[in-house]
């Protein structure tokens, strides 16, 4: 859809993504990135029109864990606030809609996840269909591996090509001071074949925050706002066996509705936690070699659950802020085998 | 009053177990009851496709689906993944292949495990058959796994089935256990370590100067870190209370008893605790109390009257 009101990402911050952050509670982990985006814009908590966050209690193993993190925002006097039990990219979508309705002019979006307290492969089985899938405990790597084999069988990739994606991602992450796995490393053993260690994302903890603003407010807060030209999210059928795992029609449809195909993009930040999923997304989005894919290193270099999708939007926006991109696509996913997909198109105004 | 050194963070095992009881709709009930009877049912869409495992609404059109068909127990692998190290709860404890299997007569695939000697014995397109569990209860695990079945042609015979069975399964219990290692972070670690010394510490907000107890590391009003530790109490004032008349399961405290908000001296807000050492009907706002530490000395078991005169209302009205 084409919005009537112009909305832009004007600030982005993320933590260093680490294997464990025992010394921090969620609020202790989130607070520095909240302070950082406020500092970038000069806004105070009380200036923010709407606050929206994304996280999941299943990672922490505790109910309503987001209420503690909310302490980091400073929620008194009462603020307009919402939470999605999902990646922060969907919280950003909610905030974007709120700004489009005219109910607010600025929004703070943040997301965090601590995977270190539990075994994230087992934890994620609990998001599956409880009748036919969850009782079998198929873990997240296993499901991605089924998709990878389907891609190999269809001739869309092979193991050396997957290794190339993994290597390129982590080499690019060498320039990203927040990445958990900067620099190429061996592909390692099969975790669940055909996926090797190198094809899988690191397990880690991290948080991210962005600030959105409308129109002239955005121009006031940021030298080169990253305007959200369109955003949409779609879902595949629930049952894996109903889907063609080699394709992602939901990503393609979301991209189409977000206007991604109207003009070429120069950058794409894709939320592909597994190397094989980049193959699916490139095909769905018609990305060719002229598009810079995941210059941040992507989720193969840092995959903080519930924040990694928001980080894609933030990385794409930051690239526009600093003039490295004029038109960028950002993608976020949630669920097994690219179940749900969100696509946003961001643009910077022409420089004089 | 000290500025806080970084403590060695506390860690402890945290187990989350939950037995969700879920009811089944007519199609899922027929399918899972069928598995108990070694019968595989699918559901036919308006477009004539057969979905296995069956669902109650068409994933493409959302039309209600009720037309059940019986299909075979053999099928074809549509994709697979070799699992060298099975995890707890998975169908087999020896290395196996995860498989999506399109059963003969079905148009969609079912996820399960394939028992095979190694990855070289598995390929997309291979023929497999269901190995039934010896004991079946009406669950997806009534299929123990699949096993190779290279002999035999595909049976594409699809028969109508009314879905009726004696003693149908109408619900499942989705039991789960997840193991975590909980670490409470810096602020709460400091709080818990102080409790072990029979001390209660709060943390002061550098902005509004309120002292939070228990501290969580941030001032919820100002959104900034609280780092300055302040010892509060040990005595405090009951600001409000309630009388509990129903015994909680597993609790060995006689009812009725009093649960109260207690503003420890020096704290900027009240915490809650049980009041003991006084008949329940004599507890009152303003009552001055002190902690009685648990036997292992790690937390106040309850608070009891300390003998001081009641506090004046004006001294605690802001903390209500
Ligand atoms: Zn404060």
């Amino acid at each position: 859809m084409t919005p009537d009101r112009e909305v832009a990402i004007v600030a982005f911050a993320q933590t260093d993504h680490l294997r464990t952050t025992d010394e921090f509670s969620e609020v202790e982990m989130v607070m520095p990135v909240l302070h950082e985006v406020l500092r970038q814009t000069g806004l105070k908590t009380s200036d923010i029109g709407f606050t929206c966050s994304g996280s999941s209690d299943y990672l922490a193993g505790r109910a309503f864990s987001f209420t503690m993190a909310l302490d980091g925002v400073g929620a008194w006097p009462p603020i307009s606030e919402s939470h999605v039990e999902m990646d922060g990219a969907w919280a950003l979508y909610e905030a974007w809609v709120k700004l489009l309705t005219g109910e607010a002019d600025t929004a703070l979006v943040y997301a965090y996840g601590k995977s270190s307290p539990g075994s994230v492969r087992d934890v994620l089985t609990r998001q599956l269909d409880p009748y036919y899938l969850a009782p079998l405990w198929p873990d997240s790597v296993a499901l991605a591996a089924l998709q990878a084999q389907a891609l190999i069988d269809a001739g869309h990739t092979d193991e050396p090509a997957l290794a190339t994606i993994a290597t390129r991602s982590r080499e690019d992450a060498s320039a990203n001071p927040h990445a958990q796995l900067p620099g190429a490393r061996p592909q390692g053993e099969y975790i669940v074949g055909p996926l090797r260690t190198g094809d899988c994302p690191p397990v880690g903890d991290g948080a991210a925050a962005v600030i959105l603003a409308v129109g002239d407010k955005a121009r006031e807060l940021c030298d080169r706002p990253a305007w959200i030209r369109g955003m949409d999210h779609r879902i595949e059928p629930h049952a894996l066996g109903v889907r063609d795992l080699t394709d992602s029609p939901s990503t393609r449809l979301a991209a189409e509705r977000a206007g991604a195909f109207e003009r070429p993009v120069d950058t794409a930040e894709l939320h592909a936690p597994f190397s094989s999923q980049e193959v699916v997304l490139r095909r769905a989005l018609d990305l060719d070699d002229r598009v810079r894919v995941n210059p941040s290193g992507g989720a193969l270099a840092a995959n903080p659950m519930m924040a990694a999708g928001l980080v894609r939007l933030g990385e794409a926006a930051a690239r526009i802020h600093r003039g490295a991109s004029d038109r960028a696509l950002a993608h976020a996913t949630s669920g097994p085998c690219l179940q749900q997909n969100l696509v946003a198109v961001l643009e910077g105004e022409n420089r004089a | 009053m000290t500025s806080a050194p970084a403590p060695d963070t506390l860690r402890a095992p945290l187990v989350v177990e939950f037995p969700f009881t879920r009811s089944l709709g007519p199609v899922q009930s027929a399918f899972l009851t069928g598995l108990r009877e070694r019968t595989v049912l699918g559901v036919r869409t308006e477009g004539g496709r057969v979905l296995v495992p069956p669902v109650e609404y068409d994933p493409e059109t959302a039309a209600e689906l009720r037309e059940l068909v019986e299909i075979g127990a053999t099928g074809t692998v549509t994709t697979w993944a070799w699992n060298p190290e099975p995890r707890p709860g998975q169908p087999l404890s020896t290395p196996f292949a995860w498989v999506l299997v399109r059963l003969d007569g079905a148009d969609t695939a079912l996820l399960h495990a394939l028992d095979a000697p190694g990855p070289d014995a598995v390929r997309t397109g291979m023929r497999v058959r269901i190995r039934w569990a010896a004991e079946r209860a009406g669950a997806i695990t009534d299929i123990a796994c699949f096993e190779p079945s290279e002999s035999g042609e595909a049976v594409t015979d699809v028969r109508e089935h009314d879905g009726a069975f004696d003693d149908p399964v109408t619900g499942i219990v989705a039991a789960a256990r997840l193991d975590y290692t909980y670490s409470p972070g810096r602020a709460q670690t400091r709080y818990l370590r102080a409790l072990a010394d029979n001390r209660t510490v709060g943390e002061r907000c550098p902005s509004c100067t309120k002292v939070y107890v228990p501290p969580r590391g941030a001032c919820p009003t100002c959104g900034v870190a609280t780092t300055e530790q302040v010892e509060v109490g040990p005595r405090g004032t009951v600001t409000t209370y309630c009388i509990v008349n129903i015994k909680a399961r597993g609790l060995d405290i006689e009812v009725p008893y009093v649960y109260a908000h207690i503003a420890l001296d020096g704290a900027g807000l009240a915490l809650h605790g049980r009041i003991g050492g006084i008949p329940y009907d004599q507890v009152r706002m303003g009552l001055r109390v002190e902690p009685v530490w648990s036997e292992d000395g790690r937390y106040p078991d309850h608070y009891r009257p300390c003998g001081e005169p009641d506090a004046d209302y004006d001294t605690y009205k802001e903390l209500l």
Side-chain angles (χ1 to χ4, degrees):
Chain A
M1 64 179 278
T2 308
D4 296 331
R5 244 177 155 218
E6 286 185 307
V7 179
I9 296 176
V10 296
F12 167 58
Q14 61 185 316
T15 57
D16 291 346
H17 305 294
L18 303 167
R19 179 62 188 88
T20 60
T21 52
D22 278 359
E23 68 276 28
F24 299 121
S25 64
E26 276 99 341
V27 65
E28 288 165 337
M29 184 171 75
V30 165
M31 223 167 5
V33 295
L34 298 176
H35 291 173
E36 174 57 21
V37 287
L38 292 168
R39 189 199 61 76
Q40 287 176 26
T41 54
L43 293 170
K44 297 190 297 293
T45 303
S46 54
D47 300 328
I48 300 289
F50 179 59
T51 297
C52 198
S53 61
S55 66
S56 173
D57 285 349
Y58 270 83
L59 293 175
R62 285 179 305 130
F64 296 102
S65 59
F66 75 91
T67 58
M68 304 271 190
L70 192 55
D71 284 354
V73 171
W76 181 266
I79 60 170
S80 175
E81 186 269 340
S82 183
H83 173 258
V84 299
E85 189 78 10
M86 210 170 167
D87 191 286
W90 276 262
L92 187 145
Y93 184 89
E94 183 176 330
W96 179 65
V97 169
K98 185 96 167 178
L99 298 191
L100 292 182
T101 64
E103 299 250 323
D105 291 337
T106 52
L108 169 64
V109 180
Y110 65 97
Y112 63 91
K114 285 185 70 159
S115 297
S116 60
S119 165
V120 74
R121 285 173 70 182
D122 298 328
V123 168
L124 291 179
T125 65
R126 301 301 96 189
Q127 71 181 340
L128 301 171
D129 158 26
Y131 306 99
Y132 302 153
L133 289 184
L136 305 175
W137 294 80
D139 61 279
S140 46
V141 181
L143 296 174
L146 288 167
Q147 185 173 35
Q149 184 64 45
L151 286 164
I152 292 169
D153 288 335
H156 297 321
T157 193
D158 54 26
E159 290 193 38
L162 295 180
T164 302
I165 290 169
T167 301
R168 189 211 71 229
S169 298
R170 293 183 182 122
E171 276 172 354
D172 283 342
S174 299
N176 176 353
H178 305 289
Q180 189 176 335
L181 297 184
R185 54 203 64 221
Q187 277 292 83
E189 300 295 315
Y190 289 116
I191 301 297
V192 179
L195 295 180
R196 297 172 182 270
T197 315
D199 295 306
C200 301
V203 174
D205 302 350
V210 306
I211 287 178
L212 303 178
V214 299
D216 286 342
K217 184 79 187 169
R219 293 183 184 91
E220 202 180 291
L221 297 173
C222 180
D223 289 341
R224 192 171 192 246
W227 299 104
I228 301 173
R229 297 303 189 203
M231 182 157 40
D232 199 278
H233 61 103
R234 301 283 159 163
I235 181 172
E236 305 288 341
H238 197 93
L240 289 171
V242 171
R243 295 169 48 188
D244 172 1
L245 294 177
T246 66
D247 196 7
S248 183
S250 60
T251 299
R252 190 177 298 112
L253 183 58
E256 191 186 307
R257 298 299 175 98
F261 301 128
E262 288 164 16
R263 285 190 293 119
V265 296
D266 55 47
T267 301
E269 277 287 341
L270 305 180
H271 187 190
F274 297 91
S275 59
S276 43
Q277 293 178 342
E278 184 179 306
V279 177
V280 178
L281 293 172
R282 276 179 180 270
R283 284 166 45 81
L285 293 166
D286 287 333
L287 300 178
D288 60 29
D289 290 343
R290 285 170 294 186
V291 180
R292 186 80 169 89
V293 171
N294 288 349
S296 65
L300 284 166
N303 189 40
M305 296 300 303
M306 305 302 140
L310 183 63
V311 169
R312 303 282 73 75
L313 284 138
E315 289 281 8
R319 215 165 145 80
I320 288 171
H321 294 162
R322 61 179 185 262
S325 167
D326 290 327
R327 181 173 157 90
L329 180 150
H331 161 268
T333 195
S334 178
C337 301
L338 303 170
Q339 180 88 38
Q340 316 212 27
N341 295 287
L342 178 149
V343 174
V345 177
L346 306 176
E347 279 184 355
E349 269 158 16
N350 291 337
R351 285 153 291 183
Chain B
M1 208 181 290
T2 55
S3 105
D8 292 330
T9 313
L10 292 169
R11 314 177 90 221
L14 171 68
V15 178
V16 175
E17 283 188 281
F18 45 96
F20 276 133
T21 304
R22 294 180 175 272
S23 55
L24 302 171
V27 170
Q28 289 176 314
S29 171
F31 175 69
L32 293 179
T33 308
L35 294 185
R36 191 189 68 197
E37 308 303 326
R38 301 202 211 196
T39 299
V40 185
L41 299 183
V43 71
R44 200 184 327 253
T45 68
E46 286 173 314
R49 295 209 309 156
V50 173
L51 308 182
V52 181
V55 290
E56 270 140 14
Y57 296 90
D58 189 312
E60 283 172 19
T61 66
E64 190 171 324
L65 303 177
R66 291 292 180 270
E67 196 187 328
L68 296 168
V69 294
E70 183 180 347
I71 61 163
T74 53
T76 303
V77 170
T78 64
T79 186
W80 62 283
W82 186 254
N83 188 24
E85 286 180 57
R87 302 174 74 77
Q90 294 183 343
L92 296 168
S93 54
T94 50
F96 66 89
W98 288 105
V99 282
L100 277 167
V101 175
R102 190 165 56 232
L103 287 163
D104 298 338
D107 293 291
T108 62
L110 173 97
L111 181 97
H112 221 293
L114 171 68
D115 190 5
D120 294 340
V122 188
R123 65 176 204 286
T124 298
M126 77 183 283
R127 300 282 298 153
V128 295
R129 66 169 169 256
I130 291 172
R131 180 190 295 165
W132 296 102
E135 291 187 20
R136 297 179 305 281
I140 193 67
T141 45
D142 289 354
I143 298 174
C145 62
F146 283 88
E147 57 192 24
S149 174
E150 293 296 357
S151 62
E153 287 296 297
V155 186
T156 50
D157 181 25
V158 174
R159 297 172 294 278
E160 303 305 312
H161 195 289
D162 63 8
F165 295 95
D166 290 340
D167 188 22
V169 177
T170 57
I172 60 164
V173 177
R177 174 188 165 126
L178 295 167
D179 284 87
Y180 299 88
T181 302
Y182 179 65
S183 40
R186 291 188 291 209
Q188 293 183 93
T189 290
R190 288 190 287 259
Y191 173 72
L192 293 167
R193 287 209 187 282
L195 283 184
D197 293 338
N198 290 9
R199 294 183 304 120
T200 303
V201 296
E203 291 190 354
R204 191 188 309 277
C205 172
S207 175
C208 68
T209 74
K210 202 166 180 172
V211 174
Y212 288 90
V213 55
R216 296 205 298 240
C219 172
T221 303
C222 306
V224 297
T226 55
T227 49
E228 182 197 352
Q229 287 185 278
V230 181
E231 189 159 340
V232 297
R235 291 183 173 180
T237 301
V238 172
T239 62
T240 186
Y241 63 94
C242 64
I243 299 165
V244 180
N245 286 292
I246 296 174
K247 205 174 159 87
R249 195 165 57 169
L251 194 69
D252 60 356
I253 299 166
E254 286 309 311
V255 291
Y257 65 87
V258 172
Y259 206 66
H261 274 191
I262 301 151
L264 294 179
D265 296 345
L269 75 167
L271 47 68
H272 37 115
R274 184 167 63 87
I275 305 296
I278 180 173
Y280 72 92
D281 56 358
Q282 290 178 30
V283 174
R284 54 201 181 267
M285 288 171 73
L287 181 70
R288 294 284 294 159
V289 294
E290 64 189 6
V292 177
W293 294 85
S294 59
E295 262 173 37
D296 59 5
R298 290 172 66 183
Y299 56 93
D301 177 72
H302 63 275
Y303 292 79
R304 68 180 173 208
C306 65
E308 286 180 18
D310 283 6
D312 190 59
Y313 179 69
D314 284 339
T315 63
Y316 63 87
K317 67 178 181 188
E318 299 295 330
L319 302 176
L320 279 177

